[in-house]
Amino acid sequence: RCAKGITLEIPGNNHPVPVQRVTDDDLQALASVLRNAAFVTGLDLRYNALTDAGAKHMATFLQENSSLRYLNLLFNDIGTSGAELIARALHTNKTLVYLRMTGNKIGNEGGMFFASMLEINSTLEKLDLGDCDLGTKCLIAIATALTRNGSVKAINLNRPLLYSQEEVTTVHIALMLKNNSSLVELHLCKHEMKNFGLERLCEALYENSSLRYLDLGCNKITRDDVKFLAELLKQNQTLEVLDLSANRIEDDGAIYLSEVLTFYNRTLQALSVVSNNISGKGLVALSDAMQKNTELSYIYIWGNKFDEAACMAFSELIHTGRLKLNCTDVKPYEVDGHVHLAELSHGLRKHYYWTPSCGEVMNKDANASLAIVAVSEY
């Protein structure tokens, strides 16, 4: 629910209470009921059974409706033709602010229709095309469109299907970042990003003054590659959230980052180095950086190699109040006089694929990025 209207939530994955999933025919009936319901500003249809036929009803609804600002179609069965219909509807729609197509296998061709839409639409602020089987051509086309698009503030391009090791898509995204002055949040998980691509990306970010949230999780970033990020953070005055989860920066990479955070950078607020093969030496360096850098408030470290020194260091940060429990994913406990760390279900985006069946959906502890970088009201 928001101040201007209500969000109608009809998810198809409510485990505690078995639900009937919304079908294409159901959506046609729902759309006819909602056509004049101006108080409904959000529609959540994640994990249902909508296909391209349902996308046709949704496209018609988007062309006729003038109140819907948020549409979540996460993990339905919409394909290329459905993507074309929805993208074309957004050529004329002037209301929708946030669209989630996550997990619909629209492919490279479907992604091309969204790239064309971004050349025309000037209302959409947040677009999620993660897990959509995007290909090289449509990623280049999207990057090209975003060079000229001044309205999109957040885009998710996670897990494309790339069959080349040349990192050409990363190069085009970097070129876009040199010219784009509106993008605030960028997700590039599982892009097979390595040394060359990361260097191009960092070079571009020296010239960018709008990006505040950079997600580089699940790539092939190593300890040597982190040097490019470290040099960037010495000068960058914009980035507030950096997600390096599931890479391999190891101790050396953690030490590079900790040195920059200790002596230079005072802008970064949140850092995730979950599952990066970091041992005690690197973790202690990061905890020391937090002692000296009071701007860095959120740090996520689970999935690394905790020794007693690392456990003691983070236990001290928490017990002195320097690091709050709702700002990290570990909690100290003691057994036989030895300090250990247990995992907390906190992170930058714990509720990306799911929402809890009870309690707060937008729990700030589990979704720190929403508290730091809020893009649009949804």
Side-chain angles (χ1 to χ4, degrees):
R1 191 177 179 92
C2 73
K4 295 180 181 177
I6 66 166
T7 295
L8 190 60
E9 296 186 359
I10 317 173
N13 67 331
N14 191 341
H15 299 299
V17 182
V19 292
Q20 183 177 343
R21 291 189 169 181
V22 177
T23 64
D24 297 331
D25 291 339
D26 296 333
L27 182 58
Q28 185 175 19
L30 182 64
S32 65
V33 171
L34 295 178
R35 192 157 284 128
N36 299 311
F39 59 90
V40 176
T41 56
L43 186 56
D44 185 345
L45 292 166
R46 65 188 186 275
Y47 294 110
N48 280 295
L50 303 177
T51 68
D52 290 338
K56 186 175 182 180
H57 301 314
M58 182 53 69
T60 304
F61 178 70
L62 288 171
Q63 287 171 317
E64 297 174 354
N65 180 278
S66 60
S67 61
L68 199 71
R69 293 173 57 80
Y70 167 62
L71 176 59
N72 186 349
L73 296 172
L74 179 142
F75 283 98
N76 280 275
D77 294 313
I78 298 169
T80 301
S81 60
E84 179 181 7
L85 292 165
I86 290 172
R88 288 193 188 281
L90 293 178
H91 287 200
T92 53
N93 180 286
K94 304 294 182 188
T95 315
L96 199 70
V97 175
Y98 183 8
L99 172 64
R100 292 196 71 181
M101 290 295 294
T102 326
N104 290 283
K105 305 307 179 187
I106 66 175
N108 189 71
E109 194 178 341
M112 291 296 283
F113 293 117
F114 278 99
S116 299
M117 177 273 293
L118 291 172
E119 297 274 6
I120 298 165
N121 183 289
S122 59
T123 313
L124 201 67
E125 293 182 8
K126 204 167 180 178
L127 176 61
D128 194 334
L129 295 174
D131 302 281
C132 284
D133 291 359
L134 303 181
T136 301
K137 287 183 179 178
C138 82
L139 281 178
I140 293 171
I142 288 169
T144 305
L146 288 175
T147 304
R148 294 181 284 271
N149 183 300
S151 58
V152 172
K153 296 179 181 177
I155 192 159
N156 187 326
L157 300 171
N158 288 352
R159 212 226 69 187
L161 298 182
L162 304 176
Y163 298 104
S164 168
Q165 296 293 314
E166 294 179 356
E167 302 189 82
V168 64
T169 54
T170 306
V171 171
H172 280 84
I173 290 167
L175 287 170
M176 175 272 292
L177 287 171
K178 284 186 178 181
N179 299 293
N180 183 292
S181 59
S182 60
L183 202 64
V184 173
E185 180 179 331
L186 176 61
H187 297 274
L188 299 174
C189 284
K190 301 180 183 177
H191 273 242
E192 299 281 320
M193 197 180 300
K194 300 181 284 295
N195 184 291
F196 178 75
L198 185 62
E199 186 177 8
R200 299 290 84 75
L201 206 63
C202 290
E203 283 174 359
L205 287 172
Y206 282 103
E207 300 178 40
N208 181 290
S209 59
S210 65
L211 197 71
R212 292 165 55 199
Y213 181 177
L214 179 59
D215 178 4
L216 299 175
C218 296
N219 280 291
K220 295 184 176 180
I221 298 169
T222 66
R223 59 187 184 184
D224 294 328
D225 306 340
V226 174
K227 289 178 182 177
F228 301 124
L229 274 172
E231 287 300 314
L232 171 68
L233 289 173
K234 284 183 181 179
Q235 296 183 38
N236 183 280
Q237 300 296 312
T238 314
L239 278 177
E240 296 177 9
V241 181
L242 178 59
D243 191 345
L244 292 171
S245 304
N247 282 285
R248 199 174 177 86
I249 72 169
E250 301 180 314
D251 285 340
D252 288 349
I255 290 167
Y256 295 143
L257 290 175
S258 63
E259 287 173 355
V260 172
L261 292 169
T262 299
F263 299 110
Y264 299 97
N265 186 284
R266 289 297 181 270
T267 312
L268 201 71
Q269 294 183 38
L271 173 66
S272 176
V273 290
V274 169
S275 300
N276 263 277
N277 203 40
I278 306 170
S279 66
K281 184 180 173 184
L283 292 169
V284 169
L286 287 170
S287 73
D288 290 344
M290 286 204 78
Q291 296 282 15
K292 298 178 176 67
N293 183 338
T294 55
E295 293 301 316
L296 186 63
S297 303
Y298 299 80
I299 189 163
Y300 302 97
I301 60 168
W302 187 257
N304 290 297
K305 300 174 179 177
F306 301 131
D307 62 8
E308 190 154 6
C311 294
M312 289 291 291
F314 276 88
S315 175
E316 185 180 347
L317 282 177
I318 291 165
H319 285 311
T320 58
R322 170 62 191 91
L323 179 59
K324 294 180 172 60
L325 277 178
N326 63 335
C327 298
T328 187
D329 57 351
V330 293
K331 180 180 181 180
Y333 67 97
E334 195 172 315
V335 176
D336 296 333
H338 294 281
V339 176
H340 303 273
L341 296 176
E343 184 184 15
L344 293 176
S345 188
H346 296 169
L348 292 172
R349 295 194 311 157
K350 282 284 183 181
H351 295 161
Y352 174 59
Y353 290 111
W354 62 282
T355 52
S357 55
C358 60
E360 284 293 315
V361 173
M362 293 303 183
N363 185 316
K364 289 182 180 180
D365 294 355
N367 297 281
S369 62
L370 294 175
I372 304 167
V373 181
V375 178
S376 87
E377 64 186 279
Y378 291 99

